[in-house]
Amino acid sequence: MTFQSKKFPSTANTNTFAAKYRAMMKKHPFLLFGLPFMSVIVAGSFILTPAAAIRYEKYDRKVRQVSREEELGLGQRKRRVDIRKEYYRLAAKDLDNWEQKRVERLKGESDGLL
């Protein structure tokens, strides 16, 4: 005696929406699966585009161009640097007389001593 390759559908499962959908899916797979899937992908692209634009607009507000007047006002508090004066100021320091000091470590941090 050989077994049948097709299963006998029970009457309880044939009238449900899922059973009807599976039967239709075998006949029209693109229409019932592929088309909705691709529609979600395309719709998601259109929905996420404004969200990404908001992100970049927020960044642009934070990093804005400085006007010419503001740019001129930024450097007023800085001191003028003359390379020769800086050289003589650094040369006047006593570089031979120095003492090595250890940096204090945070609690629980290894001090590096063996």
Side-chain angles (χ1 to χ4, degrees), residues 83-96:
I83 192 73
R84 289 182 183 167
K85 287 182 183 177
E86 288 297 315
Y87 172 76
Y88 290 123
R89 187 177 68 83
L90 291 173
K93 288 188 176 184
D94 187 16
L95 297 178
D96 295 330

Side-chain angles (χ1 to χ4, degrees), residues 37-54:
F37 180 73
M38 290 174 65
S39 301
V40 167
I41 299 296
V42 171
S45 169
F46 283 108
I47 292 171
L48 289 176
T49 299
I54 291 171

Side-chain angles (χ1 to χ4, degrees), residues 3-65:
F3 294 105
Q4 293 179 353
S5 62
K6 291 185 177 181
K7 293 182 179 179
F8 182 74
S10 67
T11 56
N13 292 338
T14 55
N15 293 333
T16 63
F17 175 75
K20 290 177 184 176
Y21 184 77
R22 275 192 302 262
M24 291 287 290
M25 183 77 155
K26 288 181 183 177
K27 293 179 185 175
H28 310 286
F30 178 76
L31 187 65
L32 295 174
F33 182 77
L35 190 62
F37 180 73
M38 290 174 65
S39 301
V40 167
I41 299 296
V42 171
S45 169
F46 283 108
I47 292 171
L48 289 176
T49 299
I54 291 171
R55 173 184 170 202
Y56 292 118
E57 287 170 7
K58 182 179 176 184
Y59 177 77
D60 286 343
R61 270 187 250 120
K62 188 167 47 171
V63 182
R64 61 181 176 82
Q65 273 191 330

